[in-house]
Amino acid sequence: GRADFWSSCRRRCAQSLPRLPSVATTQGTRPMSTAMLTLKPTATVSHGSKSAFAAGNLTAKFQKMAMTTPSPVARVNTTVENIHGKSGRKCMLTGKKANNGYTVSFSHIRNKKLQGANLQYKRVYWPEQQRYIRLRISTNALKTINKVGLEKMAERAGLDLMSLAYTDADPKRREWLVENGAAPAKKNKRAPTGPKKLFVPKWKQERMAKKGQDVAAETKKFAERWGMQTA
């Protein structure tokens, strides 16, 4: 039963497989094995100076690809010299900024935390130019200014002190202010140059009509109060 079943399976498999060509030998004919088959190369590879790459016979597209080099990516300069200490929560003189740390609980659970620098807005005196400059610096930098000096620290940090807003503390300026009474007022560029056109809002017109007031007299009074031009 079982042996006959397997023998019939082998016979069917043998019939379904393709037959290999036979080779004549001295002992008779036998099927040719796959090891005896030899394949010829479909393409020939040239070596040395005979190759197209060495001879320089490249296509125009390949030459363009070889000549074009990728442009370098522009890197953003984020140094203290470039940002002048004005960007972010950072000391303008020492460059001190926040540190990455953790808060550790009693059960050793860690949570991320920023340990910020002690930054303060300080009005610092610049003795060389006799002026006050407003800086955002750390408390550590306050002590260093007294030892090293403001100009030397600004030079190390690449900070241009002349570009910052200041309050003049020159004694000659104080004398001039005493003689002239007050500092010269800065002109307002947005202030209107000529007289304003007459404009009476609706709420004013309704109020005048409700109270029964003289419209011409009230309009003239309103125009004089707000500096408007009357016809």
Side-chain angles (χ1 to χ4, degrees):
R2 185 174 293 183
D4 296 338
F5 172 75
W6 286 113
S7 61
S8 62
C9 287
R10 291 193 199 96
R11 200 181 306 113
R12 289 173 187 172
C13 291
Q15 290 175 1
S16 61
L17 291 172
R19 294 184 179 181
L20 295 172
S22 58
V23 180
T25 60
T26 55
Q27 298 176 358
T29 60
R30 63 181 179 84
M32 184 172 57
S33 62
T34 55
M36 296 177 66
L37 294 173
T38 56
L39 299 174
K40 292 184 179 181
T42 56
T44 57
V45 180
S46 58
H47 302 280
S49 60
K50 294 182 180 180
S51 63
F53 191 90
N57 301 327
L58 303 176
T59 60
K61 188 176 182 180
F62 189 83
Q63 286 178 355
K64 186 181 285 187
M65 289 171 62
M67 289 173 63
T68 56
T69 55
S71 58
V73 180
R75 298 183 65 182
V76 181
N77 188 9
T78 56
T79 56
V80 180
E81 292 82 359
N82 186 42
I83 61 177
H84 285 267
K86 301 174 187 177
S87 175
R89 296 177 182 178
K90 186 184 294 184
C91 178
M92 297 175 72
L93 294 178
T94 60
K96 185 177 283 191
K97 56 183 179 179
N99 182 36
N100 292 320
Y102 293 94
T103 56
V104 185
S105 67
F106 182 77
S107 58
H108 297 283
I109 296 173
R110 294 188 176 188
N111 294 316
K112 288 185 178 180
K113 176 192 175 183
L114 272 180
Q115 299 169 346
N118 189 4
L119 300 178
Q120 305 292 334
Y121 284 103
K122 200 69 180 174
R123 191 163 161 264
V124 184
Y125 181 66
W126 187 8
E128 285 80 7
Q129 295 292 330
Q130 295 183 345
R131 59 176 66 175
Y132 286 97
I133 299 172
R134 189 169 182 263
L135 299 172
R136 192 181 192 187
I137 53 179
S138 61
T139 50
N140 190 14
L142 280 171
K143 300 176 183 178
T144 316
I145 287 173
N146 297 330
K147 298 176 184 178
V148 180
L150 180 61
E151 272 196 353
K152 199 166 185 180
M153 288 191 70
E155 187 180 351
R156 287 178 187 175
L159 180 64
D160 186 14
L161 295 175
M162 295 297 291
S163 64
L164 303 175
Y166 67 93
T167 304
D168 204 342
D170 193 355
K172 293 181 180 178
R173 179 175 175 79
R174 292 178 185 172
E175 293 174 5
W176 187 90
L177 290 173
V178 170
E179 292 175 1
N180 293 272
K186 191 176 181 180
K187 292 183 179 179
N188 186 10
K189 296 180 180 179
R190 296 184 179 181
T193 53
K196 302 177 187 177
K197 293 182 180 180
L198 180 62
F199 172 75
V200 182
K202 287 185 178 181
W203 63 267
K204 184 68 176 176
Q205 296 175 7
E206 291 173 359
R207 182 179 292 180
M208 288 189 296
K210 188 177 181 180
K211 291 184 178 181
Q213 297 173 341
D214 188 7
V215 178
E218 287 296 324
T219 305
K220 187 178 180 182
K221 193 187 294 184
F222 183 79
E224 288 175 357
R225 181 185 175 184
W226 295 104
M228 296 182 185
Q229 187 179 11
T230 55

